[in-house]
Amino acid sequence: MGKRKILTDKDPALHKVCRPVEKFDGRLHKLLDDMAETLEEANGVGLAAPQVGILRRVVVVDTGEGILELVNPTMLETAGEQTGMEGCLSVPGKYGLVTRPYIAKVRAQDRYGDWFEAEGEELIARCFCHELDHLDGIVYTQVMERFLTDEELEEMG
Ligand code: ZN
């Protein structure tokens, strides 16, 4: 395992459409392991492969229930709406106000290529949307209403 460098949104890799994973081999497993370690060290909620410079459709998520690996994820269904604070490891020190679905259901492959579905609400739904956007070259600052001020962040705790 190894920690990888997290690129900022100034890097062109963050603005490219990623290609699907075709080989579920040791190289993919190493990438997933490295991404999990990088996410945990950064204390983040989600990390997409382009954030570590790999233009493949791979995401790791940890909303407090352990690492969830999503390979070639697609959005199946969304419902409701939530507007709240959102941040990104590639936009350090800043948070924006972003409206997302309240519930999101994705279909993805695991590290061995088996398909599964995962559904979540609130933070999990926000995270699924945020990370899937990364795979299409979209950073939250492109879909946010505005950045939050320091005063607002203090109030939100
Ligand atoms: Zn992000």
Side-chain angles (χ1 to χ4, degrees), residues 53-99:
I54 307 291
L55 297 179
R56 289 286 179 175
R57 305 189 79 82
V58 177
V59 160
V60 294
V61 166
D62 187 353
T63 54
E65 291 163 22
I67 291 281
L68 176 65
E69 300 173 344
L70 303 173
V71 180
N72 297 330
T74 54
M75 194 62 75
L76 283 182
E77 241 180 276
T78 60
E81 199 179 274
Q82 56 175 327
T83 301
M85 185 174 93
E86 195 163 313
C88 179
L89 293 173
S90 294
V91 190
K94 290 192 172 181
Y95 295 90
L97 198 61
V98 188
T99 299

Side-chain angles (χ1 to χ4, degrees), residues 2-150:
K3 196 171 155 286
R4 302 213 183 181
K5 187 174 179 279
I6 299 175
L7 305 174
T8 70
D9 68 335
K10 289 180 190 71
D11 196 291
L14 270 288
H15 303 285
K16 298 230 164 87
V17 176
C18 299
R19 287 174 298 152
V21 170
E22 281 152 15
K23 285 185 192 158
F24 295 81
D25 55 6
R27 213 170 149 182
L28 173 68
H29 297 179
K30 170 93 169 77
L31 172 65
L32 284 161
D33 291 341
D34 286 356
M35 284 173 65
E37 189 177 333
T38 306
L39 178 66
E40 269 164 24
E41 278 218 19
N43 245 322
V45 175
L47 185 71
Q51 291 181 276
V52 293
I54 307 291
L55 297 179
R56 289 286 179 175
R57 305 189 79 82
V58 177
V59 160
V60 294
V61 166
D62 187 353
T63 54
E65 291 163 22
I67 291 281
L68 176 65
E69 300 173 344
L70 303 173
V71 180
N72 297 330
T74 54
M75 194 62 75
L76 283 182
E77 241 180 276
T78 60
E81 199 179 274
Q82 56 175 327
T83 301
M85 185 174 93
E86 195 163 313
C88 179
L89 293 173
S90 294
V91 190
K94 290 192 172 181
Y95 295 90
L97 198 61
V98 188
T99 299
R100 299 282 193 188
Y102 186 76
I103 297 169
K105 186 175 176 182
V106 298
R107 183 170 186 263
Q109 282 167 289
D110 67 15
R111 61 167 58 203
Y112 305 103
D114 292 321
W115 288 98
F116 66 97
E117 291 178 8
E119 189 182 323
E121 53 181 51
E122 283 193 292
L123 178 63
I124 299 170
R126 178 175 293 283
C127 188
F128 284 168
C129 296
H130 178 116
E131 299 310 328
L132 265 62
D133 271 359
H134 271 306
L135 303 181
D136 290 323
I138 298 163
V139 177
Y140 84 86
T141 50
Q142 294 167 252
V143 296
M144 70 175 180
E145 286 165 39
R146 58 180 173 82
F147 278 119
L148 291 166
T149 65
D150 290 345

